[in-house]
Amino acid sequence: MKAGVSFAVAVVAMIVSMPLMAVGEHGHGATVDPFMRWAMEWLSPALRSALPWLYAIPRAALAWGLLVATLGVMAWAGRHFYTRAWAAFRHHSADMNTLVAVGTGAAFVYSVAATVAPGFFLSRGVQPDVYYEAVVFIIALILAGNAMEARAKRQTSAALRALAELQPRTARVRRADAEIDVPVEEVRRGDAVVVRPGERIPVDGQVLSGASAVDESMLSGESMPVQKGAGDRVIGGTINRTGAFQYRATTLGAESVLARIVKLMRDAQGSRAPIQRLADRISAVFVPIVLSIAIATFVVWFVSGNEAPGVRAFAAAVAVLIIACPCAMGLAVPTAVMVSTGKGAEYGVLIKGGEALQRAGDLTTVVLDKTGTVTEGRPTVTELALAPNVEGGLLPSEDELLRLVASLESRSEHPLADAIVTRAKDAGLALAAPDAFESATGRGAVGVVEGRTVAVGNALLMSDYSVVVDPLQGDAARLAAEGKTPMYVAVDGRLVGLVAVSDPIKESSRAAVRRLRAMGLEVVMLTGDNRHTAEAVAREAGIERVVAEVLPEGKVAEIERLQGAGGVVAMVGDGINDAPALARADVGIAIGTGTDIAAEAADVVLMRGDLDGVAAAIHLSRRTMRTMKQNLFWAFIYNVVGIPVAAGVLYPAFGLLLSPILASAAMAFSSVSVVANSLRLRRARLG
């Protein structure tokens, strides 16, 4: 808001200043700057024709009006520049705020003097020019740069709140032979907690009785549910899918797994030091030099000037400070960031600010989560096979095998059953309602479909029904080696086929991994899934290094190990379990189709849900960094050339002086050139 208001005031001030620079009665406004005199010959008639009433207003009224408006902008929008500059002065240091404060302050003081006592200047042959529009434009440009950066800052508190909300507010505990609901904070260690299908598990514990399949994706990232029985550990915040069970509460409060994940994320986010921008490093040297040149300019002109040395010396020093005001340097990074983030958004890559852009360009290692990142993140039927020597009348085709199995599994709530039913419906098969259904936890399901007894599950279930699996055992072993889940199918006590379900890799994953490696990046898979499955997926995707079976704290530790070895690391993930590692990495990249918590914790969000965006983000970062460096280079060179001219080095040989008005115009031109260079990023090719 402050930047917008300042820009509006600056435009009005520039228009209102035009009559003050025009030649009028008593010689007022007749500028000695040859360039400005030439420009006014073109601009003044056009403006006078468009706004004749403006030229009818007394000059003193215009000048005083500009004084009041400029003072308002300085006190409201630009106040922090002056307070920070004063704080830096008190600590015997100088930064960009110092240069802004001194430059605008000097121009304002000079303009106030010209407004209050114009006769003093005219009597000494110097025009009482005012530079209020330059003051306001400088403040507006710097505020615009600051606003661009502030708008891109991440809000991490929402992610932490969402993590905390994963824990249910109440728990159903058994006390005095009765089940009662109590606030989760009142659960005591050793309490017997009861969980029904579809509920979140309130606290950590160990199963006492019952069995179920539990969705632990928030912890491991693995989409497949984990079978739980007596003696198994359960984690607060995970989701009970199929059966009911009772467990003993063991770990509460800050010691729970979910609480540790929240702490890991908070610590990781707090440990990241802000980057030091190139402009900040340059300013450490640039600001003192500019102030020294301005002082030297004043002294030389004051000592050597023949006519009104004090006024001319002050005007030359003000010109130096105005032309050196760091608008171009201040805009060099934010404008590139703004254009770059806009370009990324067009490609479905949402980049949260300049820090992420700068770090992404320096990456050496890209760490990928498996489930939902390299793979689709949901179980899918990938293979069907009929047993050899199955009589044609018993099961004539793979479609009939799928229809029969899907009819039975339509009664199940298991994710693998959902995958089978979805595949059958996609194939347009008509399912029959089973006459009977029974779930065998950890083994599979059995029921009656169209008068036939159907059993679907693992080798243990087949053994329970005396079904010989030897004809398909080799196929099952091969599928398991590929990271798939094979399920035998028996009808009326005879083996008839095999159904394989897995989480397939995304079509774009192989090409994306090849592109990342071609960019000179090391690619690592980091997953909570078992090593066997992870290595199978990694081989298919072309990833050579795998770190498997790690919990969230293990992922953070691996990221820290890679960073400790000198790597600049990006973490790519989509789940709650990835959030701490996303926050700890130099660049966290979240798959947009994943959890909101992962997206909040990340620096970059890929809205298309595939890995193409990772390479696109890194390529865009490298292009943006080149643009930033170009902007800073030209802003610096502009000052190297402009400051001596403003100081008057060309005056002895050519009689050429750079008035503060022209200095402010040159300063504005340098800012425009930086913006124009940044706009070239719109043409960047990311695909």
PDB file of all heavy atoms in Angstrom, residues 154 263-275 355 359 556 559-560 563 580-586:
ATOM      1  N   ARG A 154       7.445 -16.779   3.094  1.00  0.00           N
ATOM      2  CA  ARG A 154       6.621 -17.925   3.481  1.00  0.00           C
ATOM      3  C   ARG A 154       5.980 -17.736   4.842  1.00  0.00           C
ATOM      4  O   ARG A 154       6.539 -17.097   5.706  1.00  0.00           O
ATOM      5  CB  ARG A 154       7.466 -19.201   3.512  1.00  0.00           C
ATOM      6  CG  ARG A 154       8.027 -19.612   2.175  1.00  0.00           C
ATOM      7  CD  ARG A 154       8.841 -20.889   2.292  1.00  0.00           C
ATOM      8  NE  ARG A 154      10.034 -20.685   3.106  1.00  0.00           N
ATOM      9  CZ  ARG A 154      10.251 -21.230   4.269  1.00  0.00           C
ATOM     10  NH1 ARG A 154       9.357 -22.024   4.805  1.00  0.00           N
ATOM     11  NH2 ARG A 154      11.361 -21.005   4.938  1.00  0.00           N
ATOM     12  N   LYS A 263       8.320 -30.667  16.277  1.00  0.00           N
ATOM     13  CA  LYS A 263       9.553 -30.050  16.780  1.00  0.00           C
ATOM     14  C   LYS A 263      10.648 -30.074  15.722  1.00  0.00           C
ATOM     15  O   LYS A 263      11.382 -29.098  15.535  1.00  0.00           O
ATOM     16  CB  LYS A 263      10.024 -30.767  18.040  1.00  0.00           C
ATOM     17  CG  LYS A 263      11.261 -30.121  18.688  1.00  0.00           C
ATOM     18  CD  LYS A 263      11.654 -30.835  19.956  1.00  0.00           C
ATOM     19  CE  LYS A 263      12.822 -30.100  20.641  1.00  0.00           C
ATOM     20  NZ  LYS A 263      14.019 -30.022  19.797  1.00  0.00           N
ATOM     21  N   LEU A 264      10.765 -31.189  15.016  1.00  0.00           N
ATOM     22  CA  LEU A 264      11.764 -31.283  13.952  1.00  0.00           C
ATOM     23  C   LEU A 264      11.544 -30.197  12.906  1.00  0.00           C
ATOM     24  O   LEU A 264      12.485 -29.544  12.454  1.00  0.00           O
ATOM     25  CB  LEU A 264      11.685 -32.658  13.281  1.00  0.00           C
ATOM     26  CG  LEU A 264      12.390 -33.830  13.964  1.00  0.00           C
ATOM     27  CD1 LEU A 264      11.989 -35.129  13.285  1.00  0.00           C
ATOM     28  CD2 LEU A 264      13.893 -33.648  13.916  1.00  0.00           C
ATOM     29  N   MET A 265      10.271 -30.001  12.548  1.00  0.00           N
ATOM     30  CA  MET A 265       9.963 -29.007  11.523  1.00  0.00           C
ATOM     31  C   MET A 265      10.249 -27.600  12.018  1.00  0.00           C
ATOM     32  O   MET A 265      10.824 -26.774  11.299  1.00  0.00           O
ATOM     33  CB  MET A 265       8.493 -29.148  11.128  1.00  0.00           C
ATOM     34  CG  MET A 265       8.134 -28.456   9.840  1.00  0.00           C
ATOM     35  SD  MET A 265       6.481 -28.910   9.369  1.00  0.00           S
ATOM     36  CE  MET A 265       6.124 -27.518   8.309  1.00  0.00           C
ATOM     37  N   ARG A 266       9.870 -27.309  13.270  1.00  0.00           N
ATOM     38  CA  ARG A 266      10.120 -25.981  13.822  1.00  0.00           C
ATOM     39  C   ARG A 266      11.628 -25.704  13.924  1.00  0.00           C
ATOM     40  O   ARG A 266      12.105 -24.638  13.568  1.00  0.00           O
ATOM     41  CB  ARG A 266       9.464 -25.859  15.193  1.00  0.00           C
ATOM     42  CG  ARG A 266       9.610 -24.471  15.809  1.00  0.00           C
ATOM     43  CD  ARG A 266       8.953 -24.410  17.177  1.00  0.00           C
ATOM     44  NE  ARG A 266       7.500 -24.495  17.090  1.00  0.00           N
ATOM     45  CZ  ARG A 266       6.785 -25.501  17.543  1.00  0.00           C
ATOM     46  NH1 ARG A 266       7.371 -26.537  18.128  1.00  0.00           N
ATOM     47  NH2 ARG A 266       5.470 -25.486  17.423  1.00  0.00           N
ATOM     48  N   ASP A 267      12.381 -26.691  14.384  1.00  0.00           N
ATOM     49  CA  ASP A 267      13.832 -26.518  14.516  1.00  0.00           C
ATOM     50  C   ASP A 267      14.497 -26.353  13.161  1.00  0.00           C
ATOM     51  O   ASP A 267      15.412 -25.539  12.993  1.00  0.00           O
ATOM     52  CB  ASP A 267      14.442 -27.721  15.252  1.00  0.00           C
ATOM     53  CG  ASP A 267      14.029 -27.787  16.706  1.00  0.00           C
ATOM     54  OD1 ASP A 267      13.495 -26.774  17.216  1.00  0.00           O
ATOM     55  OD2 ASP A 267      14.234 -28.839  17.329  1.00  0.00           O
ATOM     56  N   ALA A 268      14.026 -27.143  12.190  1.00  0.00           N
ATOM     57  CA  ALA A 268      14.634 -27.066  10.862  1.00  0.00           C
ATOM     58  C   ALA A 268      14.393 -25.713  10.231  1.00  0.00           C
ATOM     59  O   ALA A 268      15.290 -25.116   9.632  1.00  0.00           O
ATOM     60  CB  ALA A 268      14.064 -28.175   9.969  1.00  0.00           C
ATOM     61  N   GLN A 269      13.167 -25.186  10.382  1.00  0.00           N
ATOM     62  CA  GLN A 269      12.869 -23.885   9.795  1.00  0.00           C
ATOM     63  C   GLN A 269      13.635 -22.780  10.497  1.00  0.00           C
ATOM     64  O   GLN A 269      14.091 -21.830   9.879  1.00  0.00           O
ATOM     65  CB  GLN A 269      11.363 -23.621   9.865  1.00  0.00           C
ATOM     66  CG  GLN A 269      10.575 -24.508   8.936  1.00  0.00           C
ATOM     67  CD  GLN A 269       9.085 -24.371   9.121  1.00  0.00           C
ATOM     68  OE1 GLN A 269       8.612 -24.006  10.190  1.00  0.00           O
ATOM     69  NE2 GLN A 269       8.328 -24.675   8.087  1.00  0.00           N
ATOM     70  N   GLY A 270      13.797 -22.903  11.814  1.00  0.00           N
ATOM     71  CA  GLY A 270      14.506 -21.870  12.565  1.00  0.00           C
ATOM     72  C   GLY A 270      15.993 -21.887  12.344  1.00  0.00           C
ATOM     73  O   GLY A 270      16.676 -20.893  12.573  1.00  0.00           O
ATOM     74  N   SER A 271      16.538 -23.023  11.862  1.00  0.00           N
ATOM     75  CA  SER A 271      17.990 -23.127  11.734  1.00  0.00           C
ATOM     76  C   SER A 271      18.517 -22.541  10.440  1.00  0.00           C
ATOM     77  O   SER A 271      19.713 -22.423  10.270  1.00  0.00           O
ATOM     78  CB  SER A 271      18.401 -24.608  11.807  1.00  0.00           C
ATOM     79  OG  SER A 271      17.933 -25.319  10.674  1.00  0.00           O
ATOM     80  N   ARG A 272      17.608 -22.193   9.514  1.00  0.00           N
ATOM     81  CA  ARG A 272      18.073 -21.722   8.212  1.00  0.00           C
ATOM     82  C   ARG A 272      18.386 -20.242   8.268  1.00  0.00           C
ATOM     83  O   ARG A 272      17.526 -19.412   8.487  1.00  0.00           O
ATOM     84  CB  ARG A 272      17.014 -21.994   7.150  1.00  0.00           C
ATOM     85  CG  ARG A 272      16.920 -23.451   6.862  1.00  0.00           C
ATOM     86  CD  ARG A 272      16.133 -23.860   5.674  1.00  0.00           C
ATOM     87  NE  ARG A 272      15.387 -22.852   4.981  1.00  0.00           N
ATOM     88  CZ  ARG A 272      14.349 -23.167   4.218  1.00  0.00           C
ATOM     89  NH1 ARG A 272      13.949 -24.406   4.132  1.00  0.00           N
ATOM     90  NH2 ARG A 272      13.702 -22.248   3.563  1.00  0.00           N
ATOM     91  N   ALA A 273      19.645 -19.906   8.074  1.00  0.00           N
ATOM     92  CA  ALA A 273      20.059 -18.504   8.095  1.00  0.00           C
ATOM     93  C   ALA A 273      19.642 -17.829   6.788  1.00  0.00           C
ATOM     94  O   ALA A 273      19.689 -18.433   5.721  1.00  0.00           O
ATOM     95  CB  ALA A 273      21.567 -18.410   8.271  1.00  0.00           C
ATOM     96  N   PRO A 274      19.226 -16.572   6.828  1.00  0.00           N
ATOM     97  CA  PRO A 274      18.869 -15.860   5.602  1.00  0.00           C
ATOM     98  C   PRO A 274      20.084 -15.654   4.706  1.00  0.00           C
ATOM     99  O   PRO A 274      21.198 -15.481   5.178  1.00  0.00           O
ATOM    100  CB  PRO A 274      18.335 -14.516   6.113  1.00  0.00           C
ATOM    101  CG  PRO A 274      18.942 -14.358   7.458  1.00  0.00           C
ATOM    102  CD  PRO A 274      19.078 -15.742   8.028  1.00  0.00           C
ATOM    103  N   ILE A 275      19.843 -15.700   3.410  1.00  0.00           N
ATOM    104  CA  ILE A 275      20.954 -15.549   2.470  1.00  0.00           C
ATOM    105  C   ILE A 275      21.417 -14.097   2.440  1.00  0.00           C
ATOM    106  O   ILE A 275      20.679 -13.171   2.743  1.00  0.00           O
ATOM    107  CB  ILE A 275      20.535 -15.992   1.051  1.00  0.00           C
ATOM    108  CG1 ILE A 275      19.407 -15.101   0.521  1.00  0.00           C
ATOM    109  CG2 ILE A 275      20.126 -17.431   1.033  1.00  0.00           C
ATOM    110  CD1 ILE A 275      19.085 -15.326  -0.924  1.00  0.00           C
ATOM    111  N   GLU A 355      14.815 -16.064  -1.974  1.00  0.00           N
ATOM    112  CA  GLU A 355      15.769 -16.944  -1.309  1.00  0.00           C
ATOM    113  C   GLU A 355      15.742 -18.333  -1.929  1.00  0.00           C
ATOM    114  O   GLU A 355      16.785 -18.940  -2.179  1.00  0.00           O
ATOM    115  CB  GLU A 355      15.462 -17.017   0.190  1.00  0.00           C
ATOM    116  CG  GLU A 355      15.731 -15.723   0.932  1.00  0.00           C
ATOM    117  CD  GLU A 355      15.546 -15.889   2.437  1.00  0.00           C
ATOM    118  OE1 GLU A 355      15.435 -17.041   2.885  1.00  0.00           O
ATOM    119  OE2 GLU A 355      15.521 -14.870   3.130  1.00  0.00           O
ATOM    120  N   ARG A 359      18.923 -20.161  -3.906  1.00  0.00           N
ATOM    121  CA  ARG A 359      19.488 -21.428  -3.449  1.00  0.00           C
ATOM    122  C   ARG A 359      19.318 -22.523  -4.497  1.00  0.00           C
ATOM    123  O   ARG A 359      20.185 -23.377  -4.660  1.00  0.00           O
ATOM    124  CB  ARG A 359      18.820 -21.856  -2.142  1.00  0.00           C
ATOM    125  CG  ARG A 359      19.243 -21.027  -0.943  1.00  0.00           C
ATOM    126  CD  ARG A 359      18.818 -21.710   0.347  1.00  0.00           C
ATOM    127  NE  ARG A 359      17.394 -21.954   0.402  1.00  0.00           N
ATOM    128  CZ  ARG A 359      16.506 -21.120   0.913  1.00  0.00           C
ATOM    129  NH1 ARG A 359      16.908 -19.963   1.413  1.00  0.00           N
ATOM    130  NH2 ARG A 359      15.231 -21.427   0.940  1.00  0.00           N
ATOM    131  N   VAL A 556      15.559 -36.141   8.035  1.00  0.00           N
ATOM    132  CA  VAL A 556      16.255 -34.901   8.391  1.00  0.00           C
ATOM    133  C   VAL A 556      17.737 -35.164   8.589  1.00  0.00           C
ATOM    134  O   VAL A 556      18.590 -34.395   8.128  1.00  0.00           O
ATOM    135  CB  VAL A 556      15.635 -34.285   9.668  1.00  0.00           C
ATOM    136  CG1 VAL A 556      16.474 -33.112  10.153  1.00  0.00           C
ATOM    137  CG2 VAL A 556      14.207 -33.837   9.406  1.00  0.00           C
ATOM    138  N   ILE A 559      19.457 -35.516   5.235  1.00  0.00           N
ATOM    139  CA  ILE A 559      19.627 -34.210   4.604  1.00  0.00           C
ATOM    140  C   ILE A 559      20.810 -33.478   5.237  1.00  0.00           C
ATOM    141  O   ILE A 559      21.665 -32.896   4.545  1.00  0.00           O
ATOM    142  CB  ILE A 559      18.348 -33.357   4.741  1.00  0.00           C
ATOM    143  CG1 ILE A 559      17.173 -33.998   3.998  1.00  0.00           C
ATOM    144  CG2 ILE A 559      18.585 -31.928   4.240  1.00  0.00           C
ATOM    145  CD1 ILE A 559      17.324 -34.064   2.507  1.00  0.00           C
ATOM    146  N   GLU A 560      20.900 -33.505   6.561  1.00  0.00           N
ATOM    147  CA  GLU A 560      21.996 -32.832   7.260  1.00  0.00           C
ATOM    148  C   GLU A 560      23.337 -33.472   6.920  1.00  0.00           C
ATOM    149  O   GLU A 560      24.351 -32.785   6.817  1.00  0.00           O
ATOM    150  CB  GLU A 560      21.749 -32.876   8.767  1.00  0.00           C
ATOM    151  CG  GLU A 560      20.579 -31.999   9.215  1.00  0.00           C
ATOM    152  CD  GLU A 560      20.264 -32.154  10.693  1.00  0.00           C
ATOM    153  OE1 GLU A 560      20.696 -33.176  11.291  1.00  0.00           O
ATOM    154  OE2 GLU A 560      19.591 -31.262  11.249  1.00  0.00           O
ATOM    155  N   GLN A 563      24.355 -32.202   3.543  1.00  0.00           N
ATOM    156  CA  GLN A 563      24.792 -30.812   3.652  1.00  0.00           C
ATOM    157  C   GLN A 563      26.144 -30.726   4.326  1.00  0.00           C
ATOM    158  O   GLN A 563      26.995 -29.908   3.934  1.00  0.00           O
ATOM    159  CB  GLN A 563      23.757 -30.001   4.436  1.00  0.00           C
ATOM    160  CG  GLN A 563      22.439 -29.812   3.696  1.00  0.00           C
ATOM    161  CD  GLN A 563      21.359 -29.203   4.571  1.00  0.00           C
ATOM    162  OE1 GLN A 563      21.325 -29.434   5.786  1.00  0.00           O
ATOM    163  NE2 GLN A 563      20.464 -28.433   3.976  1.00  0.00           N
ATOM    164  N   PRO A 580       9.355 -32.169   7.755  1.00  0.00           N
ATOM    165  CA  PRO A 580      10.594 -31.723   8.423  1.00  0.00           C
ATOM    166  C   PRO A 580      11.800 -31.697   7.491  1.00  0.00           C
ATOM    167  O   PRO A 580      12.622 -30.782   7.557  1.00  0.00           O
ATOM    168  CB  PRO A 580      10.773 -32.758   9.548  1.00  0.00           C
ATOM    169  CG  PRO A 580       9.404 -33.277   9.809  1.00  0.00           C
ATOM    170  CD  PRO A 580       8.739 -33.310   8.468  1.00  0.00           C
ATOM    171  N   ALA A 581      11.915 -32.698   6.615  1.00  0.00           N
ATOM    172  CA  ALA A 581      13.039 -32.728   5.672  1.00  0.00           C
ATOM    173  C   ALA A 581      12.913 -31.608   4.642  1.00  0.00           C
ATOM    174  O   ALA A 581      13.921 -31.015   4.231  1.00  0.00           O
ATOM    175  CB  ALA A 581      13.101 -34.088   4.974  1.00  0.00           C
ATOM    176  N   LEU A 582      11.682 -31.314   4.210  1.00  0.00           N
ATOM    177  CA  LEU A 582      11.472 -30.201   3.277  1.00  0.00           C
ATOM    178  C   LEU A 582      11.928 -28.888   3.905  1.00  0.00           C
ATOM    179  O   LEU A 582      12.531 -28.039   3.245  1.00  0.00           O
ATOM    180  CB  LEU A 582       9.996 -30.105   2.891  1.00  0.00           C
ATOM    181  CG  LEU A 582       9.443 -31.208   1.986  1.00  0.00           C
ATOM    182  CD1 LEU A 582       7.928 -31.122   1.909  1.00  0.00           C
ATOM    183  CD2 LEU A 582      10.038 -31.109   0.589  1.00  0.00           C
ATOM    184  N   ALA A 583      11.623 -28.722   5.194  1.00  0.00           N
ATOM    185  CA  ALA A 583      12.011 -27.488   5.881  1.00  0.00           C
ATOM    186  C   ALA A 583      13.515 -27.433   6.120  1.00  0.00           C
ATOM    187  O   ALA A 583      14.110 -26.355   6.097  1.00  0.00           O
ATOM    188  CB  ALA A 583      11.266 -27.381   7.207  1.00  0.00           C
ATOM    189  N   ARG A 584      14.142 -28.576   6.340  1.00  0.00           N
ATOM    190  CA  ARG A 584      15.567 -28.608   6.657  1.00  0.00           C
ATOM    191  C   ARG A 584      16.440 -28.461   5.424  1.00  0.00           C
ATOM    192  O   ARG A 584      17.557 -27.945   5.496  1.00  0.00           O
ATOM    193  CB  ARG A 584      15.928 -29.914   7.383  1.00  0.00           C
ATOM    194  CG  ARG A 584      17.390 -29.960   7.830  1.00  0.00           C
ATOM    195  CD  ARG A 584      17.637 -28.896   8.882  1.00  0.00           C
ATOM    196  NE  ARG A 584      19.037 -28.783   9.253  1.00  0.00           N
ATOM    197  CZ  ARG A 584      19.919 -27.984   8.668  1.00  0.00           C
ATOM    198  NH1 ARG A 584      19.528 -27.235   7.626  1.00  0.00           N
ATOM    199  NH2 ARG A 584      21.149 -27.900   9.081  1.00  0.00           N
ATOM    200  N   ALA A 585      15.969 -28.915   4.277  1.00  0.00           N
ATOM    201  CA  ALA A 585      16.769 -28.857   3.052  1.00  0.00           C
ATOM    202  C   ALA A 585      17.040 -27.410   2.650  1.00  0.00           C
ATOM    203  O   ALA A 585      16.335 -26.489   3.063  1.00  0.00           O
ATOM    204  CB  ALA A 585      16.039 -29.597   1.931  1.00  0.00           C
ATOM    205  N   ASP A 586      18.062 -27.215   1.837  1.00  0.00           N
ATOM    206  CA  ASP A 586      18.345 -25.871   1.320  1.00  0.00           C
ATOM    207  C   ASP A 586      17.181 -25.371   0.483  1.00  0.00           C
ATOM    208  O   ASP A 586      16.845 -24.184   0.515  1.00  0.00           O
ATOM    209  CB  ASP A 586      19.631 -25.895   0.491  1.00  0.00           C
ATOM    210  CG  ASP A 586      20.842 -26.242   1.338  1.00  0.00           C
ATOM    211  OD1 ASP A 586      21.243 -25.408   2.160  1.00  0.00           O
ATOM    212  OD2 ASP A 586      21.373 -27.359   1.197  1.00  0.00           O
TER     213      ASP A 586
END
